[in-house]
Amino acid sequence: MSLDGLPPAQQVVEDALASAQTGSDHCVVLVEETSEVEVRFANNTTTTNGSRRDRRVTVVAMRQVPGGMAAGVARRGGDVDVADLVRAAEQDASDSPPADDVSPLIGPGDSSLMASTARFDAPPDRTDLSVLSGVLAGLSGAFARGRTDGYVLAGFADHRLATTYLGTSTGVRLGHAQPDGSLQLVARSTDGTASTWAGAGTPDFTDVSMADLEAQLRHRLAWSTTRFERPAGRYEVILPPEAVSDLACNIAWELGARDAEDGQSVFSRPGGGTRVGEALATLPFDLRSDPSEPGLECTPFLTAGSSSADTSVFDNGLPLTRTEWIAGGRLNRLRYHRAGATRSGVEPAGFVGNLVLEVPGATGSVEELVARTERGLLLTCLWYIREVDPATMLLTGLTRDGVYVVEDGQVVGAANNFRFNESPVDLLGRATEVGASVRAFGREFGEYLNRTRMPSLRIPDFNMSSVSQAS
Amino acid sequence: MQRVPSLHSPPGPVDGDRLSTARDAALGEAERLGCSNTELRIERIRSQQVRLRDGRLEGAADDTELGVGIRVMVDGAMGFAATVSTDPGEAARVVTQAVEAARLIARAGGTPVELADEPGHGVVDWVAPYSVDPVDVPLTDKVDLLAEWSGRLLSSEGIDHVTAEVLAVTEDTYYADLAGTQATQRRVRVHPSFEALAVDPEGGFETMRSVAPPAGRGWEYLHGDGWDWDAELEAVPGLLADKVRAPSVAAGLYDLVIDPTNLWLTIHESIGHATELDRAMGYEAAYAGTSFATFDQLGTLRYGSEVMHVTGDRTTPHGLATVAIDHEGVPGQSFDLVTDGVLTGYQLDRSIAFTSGLGASNGCAFADSPLHVPIQRMANVSLRPAEGDGPTTEDLIAGVDHGLYVVGDKSWSIDMQRYNFQFTGQRFFRIEHGRLVGQVSDVAYQATTTEFWGSMEAVGGASTYLLGGAFNCGKGQPGQVAAVSHGCPSVLVRGVRVLNARQESGR
């Protein structure tokens, strides 16, 4: 029994597997332990905060039913009655038709997962508010500077340690501890005419600082003292890595093979099949995910709490490896579960918890791209991005918290916000300059995936569809 | 499917003895530590998602979330802590943790937190109206029903693929606070949907999704109690075939007759979020955004035309935001937001009610999980229909010379202050000289909130009224998801900018 009255995760895994021996042909047990803290602030004061301890236990029961193998999934939180949970999963398996995504469960022994095998035996990682002590210590000074200099600060800092335990009836025992954190700041001028944002992802808050982000905000607010009105239209735009992150995550989200094969995605080939192999851009963009990407390390095996079009509960424990979704500007891979990959004669590719977009050898910071711009707009980040037309992957969304006017290589002031309508796949094809890839926190997708490394991009003709009065 | 009688008393998230033990332990510890307000929430949220693709089960998952969340106020600061352990000893420990958090955060600086007063409401037991607990229905029945729907669509000519899914949730909440309120509530909701897809061999595709709204109803909803599924299943193949053949829209200004199946989302984004006072006062500046409808304009802001009357409520039967008592111990109620086209109210929780000086909260606090702190979330925000018989949708269409009739929601996006929005839909019918003359494709409509509502010439009567809504409204950090309903009639809006989505993508 652990300190908070819950049995150890490993015991839950073993008890569930033992309980499933009588009623299941195969079984997968996933225990996700989460320890999380956060603090919010706005209007130069702290607002809400929280600390939580979560545990979710997922049991996947596989049962032979007439016509094939079926899977049933049940998940419960907290101090779970393991036998009851296993029975619920088994009941769902019995109630289900044969699954379309059946593959033989993976066995133990993949040499790439030795560290994960060892991690299974260790207790979960825990965090507490002390990890945010640097942020908290910096807040009162930052609030005071805001009051003095005519702006209000808002923001959010959170830290989460998620430890996953996976066990299967085929003998797989894997564990992984995933740290995740972020710090975001928004400064709004007291008169409401200017607003700007900075954000960063971090595993442990040793590599981000309030002072750095605050300095960025103050720099950008200073740019905003000169205001320009700009109409809708096509502009030369410099997308910073934070904006590119959100666009690249949207592309990654759409890389599902089933939709592409069924003719219902931007990656479908007219007449049937997919666009794999087709050039999407003339610049040699690579878009990849890799569990061992330096600085962006993430879970090296697949966990699936339910099946979907391209993810299968039968693939739990599958080693995840470097996956090049786009290579040299060509569409290279789509997301497949093993059953789908077998049907299509390709290699499976699972979802990996990081994303890198780069042009190998590209150099240059946002500042250097600005310095090479005769006339254009520098964005801060994008917001409320939604798909308008899946056939072209046309997205709409807004610029948010700072659009800056660049003339003769320098920022000369701030402009109004815009609504854009653009396809990120088209943008890869139209980019004329790419900067060095750096760790970047997407304003919208960062909440779900903040382990991304992105370049800045120059787009010569970005479609600003209308003006937004938001400031 | 077994039919069970309606419950008269809610079952509670865990058995009653454990609830009272946890309550006594938590509230006792809070008093001992000198807390003023303290709220304990124990919740069990059961959900189930089932999805079929081309009539075959693609994935299904049952989920039960169970946990204890405690918010304390101590020394002018607020602290929240939560755990999934329902061990009675844990409740007191979580209070200690919340108190420590409050004191630590208070030292970071800022102004003291205060809550609007709220009296105790004693013991409250409430069960939302439903007949069949949707989570209890066997998976076989769910798969069979969705497979039958899928089969009907797949057998129609011109349909290449079909997805069908249902989301079902049953929420059991126990709430207790130091003021003496002890509320036990059960809410249920379901969202069934299906989508048919036609692939063009030359490239591209079109879809048609059901426009049936999610509802605070049980499994009976899928058998016709509240929606005519047979009629919609029968209509969709023809509607999709027409959409495939439809010409691409010519961009320009159009008069729009907007069906409630589309308008609910425009209300949600441009009125629902804009009239959240925490946003309007800057408390969501870092995430969801702020609002053009600033507090200084209460009572004066011309939001829309004089036919515009909007209310917030947490009382509508089958409403997704309907409750008896909110997550701060405030009774569900109904209130005005826009009256005769003028901003007359906001949605409040207790913190913002105090800060704004508006007095008492109107009951809009909600947390999506026992592990999350309650924040101000949306009430059912609804547009009132015309009085009496009012115009029908056909009457509204008859008043348009050159326009579009907009049905079903699809894509949506709005800026951080709720000025500039863009929506698409499931289908758009061209109106010429007061009559529908077939569909057009690739339509998106774009407007600024007050201009749009200011151009609303007429609202339909009660016969056009429908309670729409969504399960997936997002707000707060860490992100929280809330279900909310929006009732509205069909409306006529003059001179709205319509874009051609294909042209927007440069094609």
Side-chain angles (χ1 to χ4, degrees):
Chain A
M1 200 60 78
S2 65
L3 278 178
D4 57 8
L6 302 184
Q10 298 89 341
Q11 186 187 325
V12 173
V13 170
E14 300 305 338
D15 287 353
L17 290 172
S19 176
Q21 275 180 354
T22 50
S24 306
D25 293 296
H26 276 295
C27 182
V28 173
V29 184
L30 195 56
V31 178
E32 294 161 289
E33 297 270 355
T34 311
S35 170
E36 188 175 16
V37 292
E38 76 262 345
V39 60
R40 272 190 113 180
F41 39 99
N43 288 333
N44 285 339
T45 186
T46 52
T47 57
T48 58
N49 59 76
S51 57
R52 71 186 55 79
R53 181 258 194 274
D54 197 358
R55 166 184 285 181
R56 306 288 165 106
V57 183
T58 305
V59 171
V60 186
M62 284 113 176
R63 258 186 160 167
Q64 204 69 42
V65 295
M69 184 77 86
V73 180
R75 174 167 45 248
R76 288 182 192 170
D79 191 5
V80 170
D81 179 337
V82 169
D84 191 54
L85 176 61
V86 169
R87 295 292 93 79
E90 288 172 346
Q91 184 64 51
D92 277 355
S94 300
D95 280 354
S96 293
D100 276 348
D101 55 336
V102 179
S103 289
L105 277 190
I106 285 158
D110 192 289
S111 59
S112 70
L113 297 176
M114 280 171 58
S116 301
T117 304
R119 184 62 185 80
F120 182 84
D121 295 320
D125 288 353
R126 296 284 168 86
T127 189
D128 59 45
L129 281 166
S130 65
V131 74
L132 302 181
S133 57
V135 173
L136 293 171
L139 279 179
S140 60
F143 294 156
R145 282 185 289 280
R147 276 190 290 271
T148 306
D149 295 341
Y151 61 87
V152 290
L153 270 187
F156 179 59
D158 70 320
H159 190 239
R160 178 173 50 195
L161 293 174
T163 312
T164 300
Y165 298 88
L166 175 71
T168 71
S169 54
T170 49
V172 169
R173 298 291 185 277
L174 296 170
H176 182 78
Q178 184 69 58
D180 246 322
S182 71
L183 175 61
Q184 295 188 69
L185 293 183
V186 166
R188 290 180 59 73
S189 64
T190 311
D191 65 4
T193 59
S195 182
T196 191
W197 168 88
T202 175
D204 54 12
F205 283 82
T206 59
D207 55 351
V208 297
S209 94
M210 275 287 292
D212 286 351
L213 293 191
E214 189 190 353
Q216 287 180 42
L217 296 184
R218 292 173 65 89
H219 188 60
R220 286 168 175 260
L221 277 183
W223 283 345
S224 306
T225 49
T226 307
R227 309 284 308 169
F228 295 92
E229 296 297 321
R230 288 286 185 263
R234 288 189 179 264
Y235 286 89
E236 178 165 321
V237 160
I238 297 165
L239 295 170
E242 291 74 16
V244 174
S245 182
D246 275 336
L247 294 171
C249 285
N250 269 281
I251 293 176
W253 193 257
E254 291 286 325
L255 286 166
R258 182 77 194 264
D259 277 352
E261 292 188 343
D262 280 358
Q264 51 182 303
S265 101
V266 67
F267 299 120
S268 304
R269 194 176 61 206
T274 74
R275 294 173 66 189
V276 167
E278 189 178 312
L280 303 176
T282 49
L283 289 170
F285 281 105
D286 289 341
L287 181 71
R288 69 169 179 273
S289 302
D290 183 352
S292 45
E293 184 76 33
L296 304 178
E297 293 84 356
C298 61
T299 315
F301 54 90
L302 190 141
T303 60
S306 64
S307 288
S308 56
D310 312 298
T311 302
S312 169
V313 292
F314 290 91
D315 292 354
N316 271 297
L318 181 72
L320 296 171
T321 53
R322 182 181 171 101
T323 309
E324 297 190 323
W325 308 107
I326 296 173
R330 285 180 188 279
L331 182 63
N332 189 51
R333 299 281 292 273
L334 296 172
R335 210 164 39 242
Y336 281 93
H337 50 55
R338 286 184 300 157
T342 301
R343 279 195 286 270
S344 298
V346 298
E347 289 296 307
F351 177 84
V352 179
N354 62 27
L355 193 66
V356 175
L357 179 70
E358 68 177 5
V359 167
T363 58
S365 62
V366 172
E367 290 73 21
E368 288 169 279
L369 264 72
V370 167
R372 288 195 286 270
T373 303
E374 191 180 321
R375 182 175 285 270
L377 299 175
L378 167 66
L379 307 188
T380 301
C381 58
L382 305 175
W383 184 247
Y384 226 120
I385 306 164
R386 296 292 184 275
E387 192 169 66
V388 178
D389 182 4
T392 57
M393 208 183 155
L394 179 71
L395 305 178
T396 194
L398 286 307
T399 63
R400 182 170 180 181
D401 289 329
V403 174
Y404 303 103
V405 176
V406 181
E407 288 179 1
D408 300 324
Q410 292 201 324
V411 173
V412 295
N416 44 276
N417 281 300
F418 296 95
R419 167 173 300 288
F420 68 87
N421 279 312
E422 276 290 2
S423 163
V425 180
D426 288 353
L427 290 178
L428 292 184
R430 283 165 32 220
T432 52
E433 190 178 356
V434 183
S437 292
V438 296
R439 180 151 189 182
F441 184 94
R443 183 74 185 274
E444 191 151 281
F445 257 94
E447 182 178 353
Y448 312 101
L449 181 63
N450 78 42
R451 289 177 296 276
T452 74
R453 186 174 294 130
M454 296 287 149
S456 40
L457 296 180
R458 183 189 306 279
I459 309 295
D461 53 354
F462 195 89
N463 178 19
M464 298 297 190
S465 174
S466 58
V467 166
S468 154
Q469 293 167 251
S471 59
Chain B
M1 188 180 65
Q2 193 183 358
R3 203 165 170 87
V4 295
S6 289
L7 286 167
H8 295 291
S9 61
V14 294
D15 74 58
D17 288 347
R18 287 172 79 191
L19 291 177
S20 48
T21 307
R23 181 190 68 235
D24 294 347
L27 299 185
E29 182 70 0
E31 283 193 309
R32 195 181 69 76
L33 293 173
C35 299
S36 46
N37 290 282
T38 297
E39 300 139 0
L40 161 79
R41 218 166 6 99
I42 302 178
E43 286 190 284
R44 184 173 68 141
I45 304 170
R46 294 181 298 143
S47 61
Q48 189 177 50
Q49 178 167 15
V50 183
R51 183 176 161 90
L52 273 68
R53 189 158 175 136
D54 292 339
R56 312 245 326 157
L57 180 64
E58 183 176 272
D62 289 341
D63 189 15
T64 301
E65 179 173 12
L66 177 64
V68 182
I70 296 172
R71 189 176 76 166
V72 302
M73 294 272 300
V74 62
D75 303 341
M78 194 185 283
F80 178 81
T83 180
V84 289
S85 173
T86 52
D87 187 288
E90 279 294 290
R93 196 192 60 76
V94 172
V95 169
T96 312
Q97 201 182 350
V99 167
E100 284 170 2
R103 293 197 161 126
L104 183 70
I105 303 294
R107 284 200 292 276
T111 43
V113 182
E114 290 194 62
L115 301 182
D117 287 340
E118 184 64 34
H121 299 283
V123 174
V124 177
D125 286 339
W126 181 76
V127 179
Y130 73 96
S131 298
V132 181
D133 185 337
V135 175
D136 278 348
V137 172
L139 184 59
T140 312
D141 294 3
K142 291 171 171 146
V143 172
D144 286 353
L145 182 64
L146 295 178
E148 196 264 320
W149 287 2
S150 303
R152 279 201 243 176
L153 294 168
L154 283 166
S155 65
S156 304
E157 201 172 323
I159 293 183
D160 295 297
H161 298 287
V162 171
T163 53
E165 69 183 306
V166 63
L167 293 164
V169 181
T170 301
E171 246 178 47
D172 288 307
T173 304
Y174 174 78
Y175 169 93
D177 62 27
L178 281 177
T181 299
Q182 284 182 52
T184 310
Q185 308 183 73
R186 166 171 280 195
R187 306 199 302 167
V188 300
R189 56 184 177 271
V190 288
H191 189 188
S193 66
F194 55 81
E195 184 176 72
L197 176 104
V199 178
D200 179 350
E202 306 291 313
F205 56 91
E206 290 286 0
T207 60
M208 188 67 67
R209 203 193 65 221
S210 52
V211 298
R217 295 176 184 269
W219 192 250
E220 66 276 6
Y221 184 53
L222 285 91
H223 287 284
D225 192 351
W227 192 256
D228 189 341
W229 296 96
D230 289 334
E232 189 161 31
L233 284 160
E234 195 170 325
V236 157
L239 289 166
L240 178 58
D242 289 346
K243 189 177 182 181
V244 166
R245 288 191 294 266
S248 200
V249 72
L253 293 182
Y254 287 80
D255 293 344
L256 302 184
V257 174
I258 307 180
D259 194 77
T261 53
N262 180 274
L263 190 69
W264 72 266
L265 184 50
T266 309
I267 291 170
H268 176 87
E269 301 294 359
S270 70
I271 309 172
H273 281 303
T275 57
E276 297 175 312
L277 190 53
D278 61 335
R279 286 186 64 123
M281 293 182 73
Y283 288 94
E284 278 283 340
Y287 183 69
T290 58
S291 174
F292 74 92
T294 50
F295 189 44
D296 57 321
Q297 299 181 85
L298 179 62
T300 59
L301 175 69
R302 171 55 63 183
Y303 214 111
S305 66
E306 294 196 343
V307 298
M308 182 186 191
H309 308 283
V310 180
T311 55
D313 80 77
R314 303 202 68 184
T315 55
T316 304
H318 309 298
L320 296 169
T322 298
V323 293
I325 294 280
D326 81 353
H327 286 173
E328 291 184 318
V330 180
Q333 52 202 276
S334 175
F335 46 90
D336 288 336
L337 293 170
V338 177
T339 310
D340 301 327
V342 174
L343 176 71
T344 49
Y346 286 101
Q347 302 162 73
L348 310 170
D349 64 10
R350 288 176 64 186
S351 169
I352 208 72
F354 181 88
T355 306
S356 64
L358 284 176
S361 164
N362 52 26
C364 295
F366 176 73
D368 66 351
S369 151
L371 306 186
H372 282 155
V373 67
I375 55 176
Q376 189 276 309
R377 293 312 307 266
M378 207 180 291
N380 304 306
V381 170
S382 298
L383 176 69
R384 204 191 302 160
E387 294 192 359
D389 289 342
T392 63
T393 303
E394 291 70 26
D395 294 338
L396 296 173
I397 290 168
V400 171
D401 198 44
H402 171 66
L404 296 172
Y405 172 47
V406 182
V407 181
D409 68 87
K410 198 172 182 189
S411 167
W412 71 101
S413 175
I414 189 164
D415 72 37
M416 61 181 178
Q417 287 174 337
R418 306 279 145 172
Y419 283 108
N420 175 308
F421 59 68
Q422 179 177 308
F423 295 97
T424 63
Q426 291 300 318
R427 46 191 181 265
F428 296 84
F429 299 89
R430 212 153 53 84
I431 307 171
E432 287 299 334
H433 310 301
R435 299 178 54 163
L436 299 184
V437 292
Q439 291 185 52
V440 287
S441 60
D442 307 321
V443 177
Y445 70 92
Q446 202 182 72
T448 296
T449 295
T450 47
E451 283 174 22
F452 176 86
W453 292 110
S455 306
M456 182 168 68
E457 184 177 289
V459 293
S463 69
T464 72
Y465 192 85
L466 178 73
L467 194 65
F471 273 20
N472 61 339
C473 171
K475 189 178 174 185
Q477 288 180 307
Q480 295 197 37
V481 176
V484 58
S485 290
H486 300 286
C488 56
S490 293
V491 302
L492 167 58
V493 188
R494 297 287 187 189
V496 180
R497 182 183 180 206
V498 166
L499 307 178
N500 180 300
R502 287 297 159 109
Q503 285 169 6
E504 285 293 307
S505 69
R507 282 169 173 78

